[in-house]
Amino acid sequence: MPNLGKGTECIKLLLSQASKDMYEPLVPMLFPSLGAHISGAEFQYPDRSWKEMCGQMAQLVGDSGCNKGQLTDLVKAICRDFHEHDEAEYKKLREWTKLYHTKSSSKDKPVKPTIAVFFPPANTTNAAFIDNAVVLEEMGKLTQYFNFPEVEMADLLCGGHKQVSHLLRNVYDMAQAGALRATPDGVSGNPVMRVGITLSGVPVTVRSFYKNELLNGTFGRMVFSYKPRGSRSGRIPRKGDFPDDFYQKLDEYMVRLNICKGRFIIRPLNKLIDNLAADMATLADLVDDDVLWDVSKRSLVSAWKAGCILWALNNQTWTKAMGELVEWLVYHDLWSKMQIFADMLGKDGDVMGEAQRRGPKNMLQQLPDSFNEAQLQALRTQLGKAPEGTKGQLSLWLHRKFIEYSAQTGLYSKTEAYLKGNS
């Protein structure tokens, strides 16, 4: 992760209450809860579509006891205003329940109050989720945010594990996704899904949770942040104690998100995303990996949304340090996904051993500076790729000026530009 320089002060403030070993894993996890505080604002993506800051989802992955619980502490701090609002709503509900049970006649029983919850508990049913989404849309297109300390908890919200894929995709796409019931007791409505979600889990559970979602678009929509197993240092990491001055400073940043209204085009950020899109194409060509290419497209969108939030937090001003962090977020997401799922994306889909886990490899880097077609074909076969793709890959590398061909020797050679960029 790059040094958090000018324009990233809010992220540094939040990390000041986390242990140092959790700095990198936690940064991508902060943006769904921060983005949930922005409503009434749209930002233009480089493709000229307008996007809201809801729909952000992030999955924290690390071994048991690795301090993943610090995420819950931080999102509670970020959503302190949500909690205060929700407590007043729950009070209405408790008062209604108490009065309801004092009336014996059905006609005397009070009507259930309409409540809106910004930070619902993890134990929320799908019907309650849709009902809440309807109310929040009527209140001004507001966002509800969920934090699931264990990834399996999301099954209840989705209405069962078989519906996980549908709900997560609808959340990311900000789609209309409700329900229609025949009786008055059922919840009917078709609201726009304005939701932010963070989840945590250990590698084995996370792999099992997403194993059927790797190639249908759900996998790419979720940001992953992986914390590798550390050394057995015997030292207990220290986190912050959330002093009053921390909350005072944090409240100032939250106000900036709340007052961010209107339509915005952040041109330096969009230019960065365009450049990163070209980098993703280059990376996919070097490793000849279509899955990496497909997944990278949504990694760019997620990192771009994080950049929009950073811009709002920094008084709507862009800085170089913010761009460096956005770039890191793209690569960290891709790296995390390959660390956790690489073997499941290839032919060894059912293998769960750490030894078999691998990611896409830069094949050109593994070849000598001068090589022939047969050497690349042999390398492709070794990596489990079809030998028939050799000529196509050579054509791509020639087009991108990674290599040049000598008709006199029949050899391909890495260009000076490629060697300089990979030295």
Side-chain angles (χ1 to χ4, degrees), residues 138-398:
E138 292 173 350
M139 286 180 61
K141 302 179 179 179
L142 304 178
T143 299
Q144 54 184 320
Y145 166 71
F146 291 87
N147 177 53
F148 297 103
E150 302 296 337
V151 64
E152 315 96 287
M153 292 179 176
D155 284 348
L156 179 64
L157 182 72
C158 299
H161 190 69
K162 290 183 178 179
Q163 284 73 46
V164 164
S165 177
H166 296 152
L167 187 137
L168 295 183
R169 280 184 279 175
N170 285 333
V171 166
Y172 180 93
D173 296 340
M174 215 180 80
Q176 281 187 288
L180 180 63
R181 298 293 179 261
T183 64
D185 295 330
V187 175
S188 294
N190 194 29
V192 173
M193 294 287 101
R194 289 185 172 85
V195 188
I197 298 176
T198 49
L199 313 97
S200 302
V202 297
V204 171
T205 306
V206 170
R207 283 162 61 88
S208 175
F209 189 85
Y210 293 100
K211 67 180 180 181
N212 296 321
E213 320 299 343
L214 299 180
L215 300 175
N216 63 9
T218 306
F219 174 63
R221 287 169 167 85
M222 181 70 66
V223 171
F224 284 83
S225 186
Y226 176 58
K227 182 188 179 185
R229 181 180 289 277
S231 62
R232 302 186 187 105
S233 65
R235 293 189 298 271
I236 299 175
R238 267 45 173 180
K239 63 176 184 177
D241 54 4
F242 295 84
D244 290 341
D245 64 330
F246 163 79
Y247 284 113
Q248 291 172 1
K249 293 176 183 176
L250 181 60
D251 287 346
E252 294 175 9
Y253 287 109
M254 303 314 296
V255 168
R256 297 177 186 180
L257 298 181
N258 292 327
I259 64 174
C260 184
K261 310 289 183 184
R263 281 191 156 192
F264 306 98
I265 302 175
I266 309 174
R267 300 192 187 281
L269 172 59
N270 287 359
K271 182 179 179 181
L272 171 64
I273 295 299
D274 276 330
N275 292 337
L276 286 171
D279 290 346
M280 294 299 104
T282 298
L283 179 62
D285 283 346
L286 283 170
V287 300
D288 191 23
D289 193 298
D290 287 332
V291 173
L292 179 65
W293 167 240
D294 292 342
V295 168
S296 71
K297 298 170 188 176
R298 291 192 172 104
S299 294
L300 290 171
V301 176
S302 298
W304 171 82
K305 283 193 173 184
C308 294
I309 295 169
L310 289 171
W311 177 83
L313 288 167
N314 193 43
N315 278 324
Q316 302 185 6
T317 304
W318 187 253
T319 69
K320 179 182 177 182
M322 291 156 61
E324 292 171 348
L325 183 58
V326 168
E327 181 174 3
W328 176 80
L329 287 169
V330 174
Y331 284 99
H332 181 74
D333 180 30
L334 295 175
W335 172 82
S336 295
K337 284 169 174 163
M338 295 306 159
Q339 291 295 307
I340 305 162
F341 297 103
D343 59 313
M344 298 174 72
L345 295 169
K347 63 180 181 181
D348 303 321
D350 296 326
V351 178
M352 296 188 68
E354 188 72 27
Q356 269 91 5
R357 205 165 294 173
R358 66 194 188 285
K361 299 181 184 297
N362 181 346
M363 284 182 276
L364 186 52
Q365 196 167 2
Q366 297 182 69
L367 292 166
D369 288 354
S370 294
F371 61 94
N372 58 32
E373 184 176 332
Q375 287 174 287
L376 175 58
Q377 182 172 318
L379 178 60
R380 289 179 60 87
T381 302
Q382 179 185 338
L383 295 175
K385 296 184 180 293
E388 294 80 12
T390 304
K391 290 187 181 296
Q393 188 164 7
L394 287 169
S395 297
L396 277 173
W397 287 356
L398 286 166

Side-chain angles (χ1 to χ4, degrees), residues 2-164:
N3 291 327
L4 296 176
K6 185 178 179 182
T8 63
E9 287 82 4
C10 180
I11 305 302
K12 286 195 288 186
L13 175 67
L14 290 165
L15 292 183
S16 70
Q17 302 307 303
S19 58
K20 290 184 179 180
D21 64 307
M22 289 301 295
Y23 281 7
E24 290 191 11
L26 284 175
V27 168
M29 305 300 301
L30 301 174
F31 293 101
S33 56
L34 291 169
H37 285 77
I38 298 178
S39 62
E42 291 182 311
F43 297 80
Q44 191 179 71
Y45 192 63
D47 67 358
R48 296 184 180 177
S49 63
W50 293 93
K51 299 183 184 297
E52 297 181 32
M53 291 298 101
C54 56
Q56 296 186 75
M57 305 182 294
Q59 171 75 62
L60 178 61
V61 186
D63 293 297
S64 179
C66 76
N67 298 313
K68 295 189 298 295
Q70 293 183 28
L71 172 62
T72 298
D73 296 335
L74 288 176
V75 298
K76 282 183 177 179
I78 292 170
C79 296
R80 194 168 52 133
D81 56 335
F82 284 3
H83 177 73
E84 292 174 359
H85 167 272
D86 294 347
E87 278 303 304
E89 298 293 281
Y90 290 139
K91 184 178 180 181
K92 294 179 189 175
L93 205 55
R94 289 193 297 267
E95 290 173 350
W96 167 79
T97 303
K98 184 177 179 180
L99 185 60
Y100 183 90
H101 289 298
T102 63
K103 304 294 183 181
S104 57
S105 174
S106 297
K107 63 179 183 180
D108 294 331
K109 291 184 182 294
V111 177
K112 183 179 178 180
T114 300
I115 67 167
V117 181
F118 297 161
F119 191 5
N123 187 7
T124 298
T125 65
N126 184 253
F129 166 67
I130 294 173
D131 190 40
N132 196 42
V134 170
V135 176
L136 289 171
E137 184 165 18
E138 292 173 350
M139 286 180 61
K141 302 179 179 179
L142 304 178
T143 299
Q144 54 184 320
Y145 166 71
F146 291 87
N147 177 53
F148 297 103
E150 302 296 337
V151 64
E152 315 96 287
M153 292 179 176
D155 284 348
L156 179 64
L157 182 72
C158 299
H161 190 69
K162 290 183 178 179
Q163 284 73 46
V164 164

